């Protein structure tokens, strides 16, 4: 994983700065975050969805800013126990302005979120992305995520998604069998003879 700065400290790379979101930055950045995400993602999120993530897990959200502190990219994440089982990180939203893609901004933002989740003892990290978003799928696969499930017509626009999971701890993949995460609605198979 890449190096990250201590929590709340900027890390500059060329003319970009990477900062951790803080509630004190809401009046400055929330509108820009909403505009960027609504431009890039197919889901229409209300202000309450953003506040749900940013109020509870703002320290798991990171922004890429230019020298004038304009928002170029953002990742919004959370970390909590998943159905009484593993401590699961979740990357809810990732967006980078179109003219700044291909410069490693998304990779840096996701790695920063992953690093903090690992520091906080995450067992796994999950996310969904549209099956048509090949750039995002390649990014997540490069970072070690595995496709775990296809979700038919997952998004409001009718597109399907792939769920990706990064197993952080050894045994996290087999632990999910104990907690019944992925197979909860599937019939139990009889033991083999």
């Amino acid at each position: 994983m890449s190096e990250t700065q201590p929590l709340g400290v900027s890390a500059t790379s060329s003319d970009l700065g990477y900062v951790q979101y803080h509630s004190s930055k809401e009046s400055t950045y929330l509108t820009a975050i909403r505009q960027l995400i609504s431009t890039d993602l197919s889901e229409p999120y209300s202000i309450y969805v953003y506040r749900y993530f940013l109020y509870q897990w703002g320290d798991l959200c990171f922004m890429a800013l230019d020298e004038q502190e304009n928002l170029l990219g953002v990742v919004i994440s959370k970390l909590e126990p998943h159905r009484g089982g593993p401590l699961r990180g979740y990357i809810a939203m990732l967006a980078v302005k179109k003219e700044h893609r291909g410069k490693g901004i998304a990779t840096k933002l996701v790695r920063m979120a992953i690093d903090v989740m690992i520091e906080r003892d995450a067992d796994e990290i999950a996310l969904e992305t549209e099956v048509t978003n090949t750039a995002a799928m390649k990014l997540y696969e490069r970072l070690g995520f595995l496709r775990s499930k296809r979700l038919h017509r997952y998004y409001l626009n009718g597109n399907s998604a792939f769920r990706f999971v990064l197993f952080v701890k050894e045994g996290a993949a087999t632990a999910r069998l104990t907690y019944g995460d992925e197979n909860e609605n599937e019939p139990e198979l009889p033991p083999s003879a």
Side-chain angles (χ1 to χ4, degrees), residues 146-157:
L146 303 171
R147 291 183 200 186
S148 72
K149 191 178 208 178
R150 185 180 179 118
L151 305 164
H152 182 67
R153 298 182 57 81
Y154 181 77
Y155 293 104
L156 292 176
N157 65 6

Side-chain angles (χ1 to χ4, degrees), residues 2-49:
S2 68
E3 285 185 17
T4 59
Q5 299 296 317
L7 298 179
V9 176
S10 299
T12 56
S13 162
S14 70
D15 60 346
L16 298 180
Y18 292 87
V19 296
Q20 187 175 42
Y21 181 86
H22 187 271
S23 60
S24 64
K25 299 174 181 164
E26 179 177 344
S27 63
T28 305
Y29 292 112
L30 185 56
T31 299
I33 289 170
R34 289 183 70 199
Q35 288 173 342
L36 177 59
I37 289 173
S38 68
T39 300
D40 279 4
L41 301 184
S42 60
E43 293 293 286
Y45 296 110
S46 75
I47 187 71
Y48 303 107
V49 173

Side-chain angles (χ1 to χ4, degrees), residues 10-177:
S10 299
T12 56
S13 162
S14 70
D15 60 346
L16 298 180
Y18 292 87
V19 296
Q20 187 175 42
Y21 181 86
H22 187 271
S23 60
S24 64
K25 299 174 181 164
E26 179 177 344
S27 63
T28 305
Y29 292 112
L30 185 56
T31 299
I33 289 170
R34 289 183 70 199
Q35 288 173 342
L36 177 59
I37 289 173
S38 68
T39 300
D40 279 4
L41 301 184
S42 60
E43 293 293 286
Y45 296 110
S46 75
I47 187 71
Y48 303 107
V49 173
Y50 293 98
R51 287 185 173 149
Y52 166 77
F53 285 100
L54 296 173
Y55 285 2
Q56 295 182 77
W57 301 282
D59 55 340
L60 292 174
C61 303
F62 295 90
M63 302 179 296
L65 308 173
D66 67 12
E67 291 174 328
Q68 292 77 38
E69 296 195 3
N70 296 308
L71 183 70
L72 303 181
V74 64
V75 64
I76 297 178
S77 310
K78 72 176 186 171
L79 179 66
E80 62 184 355
H82 182 66
R83 298 183 183 169
L87 187 58
R88 176 183 273 185
Y90 181 70
I91 297 174
M93 300 171 222
L94 172 66
V96 175
K97 282 190 175 182
K98 193 171 191 170
E99 61 271 21
H100 294 281
R101 293 180 189 162
K103 299 178 182 178
I105 295 171
T107 300
K108 175 75 173 177
L109 289 168
V110 172
R111 283 185 173 168
M112 291 174 80
I114 289 171
D115 287 349
V116 174
M117 289 183 220
I118 290 171
E119 288 172 13
R120 296 198 184 154
D121 211 26
D123 295 300
E124 62 187 29
I125 301 167
L127 60 94
E128 292 86 26
T129 191
E130 289 190 40
V131 297
T132 57
N133 192 344
T134 55
M137 290 188 287
K138 287 179 183 179
L139 163 70
Y140 296 125
E141 288 170 346
R142 273 195 322 270
L143 292 172
F145 285 82
L146 303 171
R147 291 183 200 186
S148 72
K149 191 178 208 178
R150 185 180 179 118
L151 305 164
H152 182 67
R153 298 182 57 81
Y154 181 77
Y155 293 104
L156 292 176
N157 65 6
N159 283 351
S160 296
F162 282 117
R163 176 163 299 137
F164 282 79
V165 179
L166 175 65
F167 298 106
V168 176
K169 292 184 179 172
E170 190 172 331
T174 56
R176 81 175 30 211
L177 296 175

